[in-house]
Amino acid sequence: MKVISQFSELDILPRPIAYVPTMGALHPGHYQLLIAAKKYAKNSLLSIFVNPLQFENSSDLINYPDSKDADMELALAAEVDYLWFPKSAELYPDGYQIISAGEMGNIYEGASRPGHFDGMLTVVARYLDLIKPDFMLMGEKDFQQLCIVKKYIEDRDIPTKLIPIPTVRLESGLAYSSRNSRLSESSIRFAAVIFQALVAAANSKDRKEAISKGMEILHKEEKFQLDYFEMIDSSNFQQVAENQLGDRVICAGWIDGVRLIDNLPVPRK
């Protein structure tokens, strides 16, 4: 694995290349992204950068896990070819512009975390411009983020092919997340209620039944503080009518002050 030390080295990366952008605190979900990257291109690139523009809460930025040594071990295990630790000055030179995530960036996660998706899309746009990867892999766990990036790439005819990778889960169904490190063992057990609610909703006959079943399960866990639980049409991220079946169920909330998000695709009947 070669660690990129000079910004200019991005210009001479061998092609084709599959790219995985992360903020570090790598876990088995990231590992699967990196393993998948090797299936799409001979050369894989991993970046680790805690993007300050994505944090609407300064304490979240301060408390974000720092695990550089462990991250490098995981990257080696996944046989990553190139590892890049971008610097803020490289990504955000004087005069850089914040990119708006549009209407999709202002609902659900965007409503609860104002500016989050603008910051995310700004750094992703820089990555795409600087690296020009043949493939970019992102996890479905952050589904709204994935849809926003997909729309950005399509709207601008960017030649990078975006590859979504299914969510990796603990045995309980809880999605792997860097935030899980802030949960106690008991809280991790309680958090399994999110997956249980999503499964029940995803296997319902319409949105009305989905919301009813999901909320019934979530309300049984007193430790879970709900933000939103919804069935949507992922093409526009809008909720569907009560008698319709969307293609994705999404959920977010807090357990012991730690924000968790998750989603499931709805099986086609």
Side-chain angles (χ1 to χ4, degrees):
M1 179 174 70
K2 176 177 173 53
V3 177
I4 295 174
S5 57
Q6 298 294 328
F7 187 50
S8 58
E9 292 179 56
L10 294 174
D11 295 331
I12 55 174
L13 290 174
R15 305 291 165 160
I17 194 162
Y19 171 51
V20 178
T22 79
M23 292 205 298
L26 303 183
H27 52 66
H30 294 113
Y31 181 80
Q32 290 303 317
L33 286 171
L34 296 168
I35 292 297
K38 300 292 287 185
K39 298 177 181 178
Y40 284 93
K42 180 180 179 180
N43 306 289
S44 60
L45 168 65
L46 164 67
S47 69
I48 296 178
F49 175 66
V50 182
N51 179 28
L53 299 185
Q54 290 179 229
F55 291 84
E56 77 290 346
N57 186 327
S58 59
S59 65
D60 278 350
L61 175 59
I62 294 170
N63 293 324
Y64 194 84
D66 181 3
S67 54
K68 184 176 180 179
D69 291 342
D71 290 348
M72 292 190 71
E73 287 183 14
L74 186 145
L76 284 167
E79 299 184 353
V80 168
D81 295 293
Y82 298 92
L83 174 57
W84 178 35
F85 294 97
K87 299 179 177 62
S88 290
E90 296 171 335
L91 294 174
Y92 304 129
D94 291 342
Y96 79 90
Q97 298 292 315
I98 295 289
I99 295 178
S100 171
E103 183 179 346
M104 197 184 296
N106 293 323
I107 55 179
Y108 298 114
E109 280 304 289
S112 293
R113 304 177 64 188
H116 166 70
F117 286 124
D118 292 347
M120 176 278 298
L121 193 56
T122 298
V123 78
V124 168
R126 288 289 290 155
Y127 290 149
L128 290 169
D129 183 52
L130 293 168
I131 301 166
K132 298 178 175 59
D134 300 276
F135 303 92
M136 183 167 70
L137 291 83
M138 300 181 77
E140 290 188 349
K141 199 272 288 184
D142 296 295
F143 191 68
Q144 191 171 357
Q145 168 180 277
L146 180 69
C147 290
I148 289 170
V149 172
K150 179 175 182 287
K151 185 176 187 302
Y152 178 82
I153 288 174
E154 291 175 348
D155 287 351
R156 287 156 182 79
D157 293 322
I158 296 172
T160 297
K161 183 173 179 59
L162 181 64
I163 309 294
I165 301 298
T167 302
V168 179
R169 302 180 179 280
L170 283 74
E171 188 175 344
S172 67
L174 177 65
Y176 276 104
S177 168
S178 300
R179 290 173 178 261
N180 291 1
S181 64
R182 295 165 55 190
L183 294 171
S184 65
E185 289 186 11
S186 60
S187 294
I188 287 176
R189 291 196 301 272
F190 297 142
V193 72
I194 299 171
F195 181 67
Q196 295 164 12
L198 288 170
V199 170
N203 289 286
S204 299
K205 70 176 188 296
D206 56 24
R207 175 178 171 268
K208 182 178 181 180
E209 181 179 275
I211 301 303
S212 175
K213 286 185 174 181
M215 295 293 280
E216 181 181 1
I217 292 171
L218 291 174
H219 284 153
K220 291 179 181 178
E221 180 48 70
E222 294 181 358
K223 277 186 169 291
F224 183 70
Q225 180 185 348
L226 180 67
D227 184 355
Y228 59 78
F229 187 87
E230 192 54 84
M231 176 176 278
I232 62 163
D233 175 348
S234 64
S235 67
N236 55 20
F237 239 78
Q238 298 296 316
Q239 71 178 42
V240 295
E242 285 194 344
N243 63 347
Q244 292 182 332
L245 196 64
D247 62 1
R248 189 72 54 160
V249 185
I250 59 175
C251 180
W254 297 266
I255 287 185
D256 290 340
V258 179
R259 183 176 180 81
L260 301 173
I261 64 173
D262 202 352
N263 68 90
L264 272 184
V266 175
R268 293 295 87 191
K269 303 297 190 284

